[in-house]
Amino acid sequence: MVGINFGGEPQEPLRYLIDGSKEPGPRNRRAEMWDRSREWLNAPGGADIPDLDSLHSDACGPGYSYDVNQRLLLESKEHMRARGIRSPDEWDAVALTFAEPVKDVPSRGRQGRSLHQFEWDPSEAFESPWATGTERYTPSERADIAWHSERLRRRALGLP
């Protein structure tokens, strides 16, 4: 189990774009996880979430802005309450599934149980066009990570 400090520093304070340039990332872990969930929803394959009004309103509830350094900042829950909007607890639970990448580790022992290993190294986790050729994961490992991450998210949302 990994504790997550929503107000802590993001894992990726800078984003590297396809052309090799950089842009500011999110202001804190909460904004980072919510932004990752937004990217998941906007992915070409789409995302299949339950058709629940409470879940949809949670996902759309908080406003956002950018700080003086152009980092993404989500509206605080206190400001949301002042606007008469409830705390987005259900989407916070979904966003927490984006806190750490998940990598499946080959089964060990006689039980054949699958173990999971939680790892994150932003400088080595993903292949990029300007990579040095010393990437941490092979393409098949990245596909496994993506598949298992999606499986865990679907389980967290109660989907098959």
Side-chain angles (χ1 to χ4, degrees):
M1 185 178 302
V2 177
I4 305 298
N5 179 0
F6 276 44
E9 288 294 315
Q11 292 174 329
E12 295 178 320
L14 290 175
R15 291 187 184 166
Y16 295 91
L17 304 176
I18 293 173
D19 64 0
S21 63
K22 301 176 193 177
E23 72 176 12
R27 170 67 180 93
N28 54 31
R29 288 296 300 274
R30 180 174 178 244
E32 182 176 54
M33 291 183 295
W34 276 68
D35 191 45
R36 287 177 180 170
S37 69
R38 180 191 58 80
E39 290 171 358
W40 173 63
L41 288 172
N42 292 332
D48 188 15
I49 62 173
D51 189 18
L52 301 172
D53 290 340
S54 60
L55 189 62
H56 294 192
S57 66
D58 278 5
C60 299
Y64 67 93
S65 62
Y66 295 91
D67 68 7
V68 296
N69 295 320
Q70 296 299 310
R71 296 178 297 183
L72 175 67
L73 183 61
L74 283 183
E75 179 181 21
S76 71
K77 292 182 180 183
E78 291 77 24
H79 286 118
M80 290 177 66
R81 274 189 232 111
R83 290 193 303 133
I85 299 174
R86 69 179 185 82
S87 176
D89 296 330
E90 290 181 31
W91 198 262
D92 274 342
V94 172
L96 277 167
T97 67
F98 294 90
E100 299 284 335
V102 178
K103 178 181 179 188
D104 194 42
V105 177
S107 53
R108 297 180 185 160
R110 293 186 182 154
Q111 288 90 9
R113 286 186 345 178
S114 177
L115 304 173
H116 287 88
Q117 178 179 351
F118 294 85
E119 299 179 352
W120 182 253
D121 185 348
S123 65
E124 298 178 342
F126 302 104
E127 183 178 349
S128 63
W130 55 91
T132 62
T134 58
E135 287 74 32
R136 177 180 216 155
Y137 301 117
T138 66
S140 65
E141 287 175 322
R142 279 194 297 279
D144 286 345
I145 292 168
W147 186 85
H148 286 286
S149 295
E150 180 66 18
R151 189 170 143 215
L152 289 172
R153 287 185 189 101
R154 293 181 67 78
R155 189 179 303 156
L157 291 169
L159 298 171

